Amino acid sequence: MEAGGLLDSFIYGACVVFTLGMFSAGLSDLRHMRMTRSVDNVQFLPFLTTEVNNLGWLSYGALKGDGILIVVNAVGAALQTLYILVYLHYCPRKRVVLLQTATLLGVLLLGYGYFWLLVPDPEGRLQQLGLFCSVFTISMYLSPLADLAKVIQTKSTQCLSYPLTIATLLTSASWCLYGFQLRDPYIMVSNFPGIITSFIRFWLFWKYPQEQDRNYRLLQT
């Protein structure tokens, strides 16, 4: 196999493995909900927004004929659907959860209606759908900035996950390389903020290590 073909296979494999690994991180929340029969300390919105993100990129991959995007996001959407159903089963406030789900899915359906009915040109549809997916993914990567500000304020990285930070960096870097390989700016640009925020988190882990967290909490008490 030529060097270029080997590199392509490595990038494709990295995208699949790292992304599915990050999606499967929710399995720990799933196990927690089943063991405790509650949704305590489990956030619902990440499941829902990731579901919408997966469905958007799945549509983009189907329109573009990209098998990697289709497989990864189909599996991701299935996992997020499972997490949402289990959360709904154990959540005492089902009306709020159903309202949030219906709102986001309604926005998604309106988007589908716009792209498929009002944008007849396939190339224009692909470009606009890619732009929508990029903006949504970037907003997801930037949404934890409030947590980073909290880390600086409290001088504690207790609310951050080191394994998830590593997974985010590897996943974002893989998709950036994949987008660069395909010359697809929507894939490449949308994942770049994930690399930036991951390095910011690594800096915070270095500046406020776990031992310092424990000392700081002792001083607070």
Side-chain angles (χ1 to χ4, degrees):
M1 182 182 293
E2 296 181 357
L6 184 62
L7 179 61
D8 291 347
S9 299
F10 176 78
I11 294 174
Y12 301 161
C15 288
V16 173
V17 172
F18 293 145
T19 307
L20 294 183
M22 191 166 69
F23 288 157
S24 63
L27 291 174
S28 61
D29 290 330
L30 181 66
R31 184 167 53 251
H32 171 79
M33 288 186 286
R34 293 191 61 187
M35 290 180 62
T36 63
R37 303 187 67 82
S38 72
V39 294
D40 293 340
N41 301 319
V42 178
Q43 294 183 336
F44 174 70
L45 280 181
F47 296 150
L48 187 57
T49 53
T50 304
E51 172 87 332
V52 174
N53 193 52
N54 286 149
L55 292 175
W57 284 111
L58 176 61
S59 302
Y60 181 78
L63 190 60
K64 190 176 181 179
D66 189 315
I68 301 294
L69 281 174
I70 293 173
V71 169
V72 168
N73 287 285
V75 175
L79 284 173
Q80 302 308 318
T81 300
L82 175 62
Y83 301 153
I84 289 172
L85 291 176
V86 173
Y87 188 98
L88 182 61
H89 178 71
Y90 292 113
C91 178
R93 302 176 60 190
K94 290 181 172 53
R95 180 175 297 181
V96 175
V97 173
L98 286 173
L99 181 60
Q100 292 174 337
T101 304
T103 301
L104 263 184
L105 290 181
V107 171
L108 189 64
L109 288 175
L110 286 175
Y112 280 148
Y114 168 76
F115 290 126
W116 293 100
L117 299 177
L118 301 180
V119 186
D121 177 39
E123 185 61 29
R125 188 185 303 156
L126 182 67
Q127 301 298 325
Q128 293 191 34
L129 183 57
L131 180 61
F132 168 80
C133 292
S134 296
V135 171
F136 196 87
T137 301
I138 290 172
S139 66
M140 285 183 61
Y141 278 130
L142 296 181
S143 60
L145 288 179
D147 291 334
L148 302 186
K150 180 181 177 182
V151 168
I152 296 174
Q153 182 181 5
T154 62
K155 295 180 170 47
S156 171
T157 55
Q158 188 180 13
C159 64
L160 300 182
S161 169
Y162 196 83
L164 184 59
T165 301
I166 295 176
T168 301
L169 175 63
L170 294 175
T171 303
S172 302
S174 300
W175 284 109
C176 277
L177 290 174
Y178 184 74
F180 179 78
Q181 194 80 6
L182 297 181
R183 292 179 173 81
D184 188 322
Y186 301 115
I187 298 176
M188 183 170 56
V189 173
S190 62
N191 286 279
F192 189 72
I195 299 177
I196 301 300
T197 55
S198 295
F199 278 115
I200 293 175
R201 290 181 184 183
F202 283 130
W203 178 77
L204 290 172
F205 279 119
W206 170 79
K207 187 172 180 60
Y208 307 116
Q210 295 297 321
E211 184 64 34
Q212 181 174 325
D213 282 357
R214 286 193 289 270
N215 294 336
Y216 180 79
R217 288 195 296 273
L218 287 173
L219 288 175
Q220 291 294 97
T221 58

